[in-house]
Amino acid sequence: MPTDYYEILGVRRDASAEEIKKAYRQRARELHPDANPGDDEAEARFKELGEAYEVLSDPTRRQRYDTFGHEGVRAGAGAAGEPFGFGGFSDIFDAFFGGGDGFAGGRAGPQAGADIEQAVEIDFEQAVFGTEAPVTVRTAAPCDACEATGAAPGTHAETCPDCQGSGQVRRVRQSILGQMVTSGPCPRCGGAGQTIESPCPECRGEGRLIQDKTYTVDIPPGVDTGSTLRLGGLGAVGPRGGGHGDLYVHVRVRPHERFQREGDDLYEELHVPFTQAALGAELSYETLDGAETLTLPRGTQTGRSFRFRGKGVPHVRGRGRGDLVATVVVDVPTDLSEEQDALVRQLADQRSEQVAEPDTKLFSRLRSAFK
């Protein structure tokens, strides 16, 4: 198993922050314990992935790692450079929500929560006509005890004395090219611009708690496997009063026992006996909307299709519906009785059609069975 953080995430060493985040989210979905129940190796790789992302998504820690390797990262662990100083608790959020991004653009203030992805499985008819489905997610919710501030009741956060609330510190150093000025997240407040002297005992200063929440999702008519619904503001809440991320619901549709879907059209093989195909018939044909009358003309052949317009799947991004197409398959009987065999032979004789001689041994056995 690779130990290099860039190898673990599968990115180049010059990858951008967005490329690192995208790679982490993709790998996290594959290795998450919920997707690999009982797989210890996947769980270990998931933890290793979280560790790699925590380091490479933080500009300061990534620079230490690029310069000094793993030793440079370990040297800074648990020091004032760790946001809020609650590493163990923050790691839980990192594993669930891909934390450790730092503060986008170097701005001070509460960090927005991460997006959450969840899958929901629905029946075929529910996908066609739309439905409501419950979706349960494990997410970060605001801590009621401290009202999401992270500070113990009766106390409040203070402006960081090191960065004066900006969340950034500037460093000046001499080089052969002269003075170089760099800026990065404030090590004392982790870029938040505020410090908490008395953390909330319930959330340990995070301002949020991990909880299971169930939402009722409106699934519109016409969705199919692979459709994704975005529910704004139902993702994880950010630390210390940060905004909510979004919830992305991926739809899976169970197959139907009769119909096959292609785009917004439905298809079925309609098996009919050769007598109805030869002589014609008027059938009651069940669609998803109820019974329709299907008229089989005399001499209907296998492969002939009948189209029911507007009886398919609703267009999810517009008005109207697709069609339902029933394709005939003529079934030839294989269990003719002696009397039925004689009738068919009589028909063949009248039509001057050559057929095989009757199986006399078969009919002898049939007669013996009914004696």
Side-chain angles (χ1 to χ4, degrees):
M1 187 177 295
T3 57
D4 181 83
Y5 287 152
Y6 291 98
E7 283 187 61
I8 293 171
L9 286 168
V11 297
R12 305 184 313 274
R13 301 191 74 84
D14 61 349
S16 66
E18 188 61 33
E19 289 174 328
I20 290 174
K21 179 187 289 188
K22 182 177 179 181
Y24 168 74
R25 288 182 173 175
Q26 180 178 350
R27 295 288 292 147
R29 284 195 296 269
E30 298 172 358
L31 298 174
H32 196 282
D34 289 347
N36 302 273
D39 190 336
D40 294 338
E41 181 181 350
E43 184 176 356
R45 292 172 64 191
F46 180 73
K47 292 178 180 178
E48 192 175 47
L49 181 73
E51 178 184 332
Y53 179 69
E54 183 178 3
V55 171
L56 297 186
S57 62
D58 184 306
T60 302
R61 300 183 69 187
R62 181 179 180 182
Q63 184 179 18
R64 288 204 302 265
Y65 177 73
D66 289 342
T67 305
F68 304 107
H70 291 281
E71 292 302 321
V73 177
R74 294 192 191 100
E82 287 293 344
F84 314 133
F86 303 115
F89 189 72
S90 296
D91 288 345
I92 298 175
F93 284 93
D94 293 348
F96 275 108
F97 311 118
D101 281 342
F103 293 83
R107 294 171 295 178
Q111 175 186 2
D115 297 335
I116 301 177
E117 296 179 88
Q118 184 62 282
V120 63
E121 189 173 60
I122 59 176
D123 291 332
F124 193 90
E125 290 87 346
Q126 292 176 322
V128 172
F129 298 112
T131 187
E132 292 183 345
V135 174
T136 300
V137 295
R138 193 158 180 78
T139 184
C143 175
D144 293 332
C146 64
E147 298 181 344
T149 64
T155 67
H156 55 83
E158 301 286 348
T159 301
C160 176
D162 289 4
C163 65
Q164 303 301 313
S166 69
Q168 296 283 301
V169 292
R170 301 176 63 192
R171 298 178 178 86
V172 181
R173 60 174 180 157
Q174 294 293 334
S175 72
I176 58 174
L177 300 177
Q179 281 191 342
M180 295 186 64
V181 180
T182 60
S183 65
C186 173
R188 180 161 184 166
C189 66
Q194 294 180 325
T195 58
I196 295 178
E197 298 299 326
S198 302
C200 170
E202 292 293 324
C203 63
R204 299 170 66 180
E206 278 283 338
R208 55 184 182 170
L209 296 168
I210 293 180
Q211 297 177 351
D212 289 328
K213 284 188 170 291
T214 300
Y215 301 107
T216 298
V217 180
D218 289 323
I219 298 179
V223 298
D224 198 2
T225 294
S227 298
T228 298
L229 308 176
R230 174 181 172 272
L231 286 76
L234 294 186
V237 69
R240 298 186 187 179
H244 285 77
D246 297 332
L247 171 60
Y248 291 87
V249 178
H250 304 293
V251 178
R252 289 197 292 260
V253 181
R254 301 184 187 97
H256 196 271
E257 59 183 8
R258 289 175 50 204
F259 300 118
Q260 299 293 324
R261 178 174 176 176
E262 294 184 15
D264 291 333
D265 293 330
L266 299 178
Y267 294 86
E268 181 188 19
E269 287 189 348
L270 177 62
H271 289 259
V272 299
F274 88 106
T275 51
Q276 290 181 336
L279 302 176
E282 194 167 273
L283 309 176
S284 178
Y285 181 74
E286 285 292 333
T287 72
L288 293 178
D289 297 89
E292 295 281 338
T293 298
L294 172 61
T295 301
L296 286 179
R298 293 172 63 91
T300 297
Q301 302 294 314
T302 290
R304 179 163 183 177
S305 295
F306 297 87
R307 183 178 294 270
F308 297 87
R309 298 197 178 276
K311 299 299 180 182
V313 181
H315 304 312
V316 73
R317 289 187 177 87
R319 298 180 179 180
R321 294 173 61 175
D323 299 334
L324 168 57
V325 180
T327 301
V328 170
V329 176
V330 179
D331 290 334
V332 178
T334 58
D335 55 350
L336 292 175
S337 67
E338 185 174 358
E339 181 180 1
Q340 292 168 340
D341 184 272
L343 289 173
V344 175
R345 289 180 182 282
Q346 183 179 350
L347 174 63
D349 184 60
Q350 292 180 3
R351 292 177 58 82
S352 300
E353 295 172 348
Q354 184 177 357
V355 295
E357 293 298 321
D359 188 345
T360 55
K361 293 182 180 180
L362 171 62
F363 291 121
S364 296
R365 289 196 297 270
L366 288 174
R367 282 194 293 270
S368 299
F370 289 99
K371 287 182 178 180

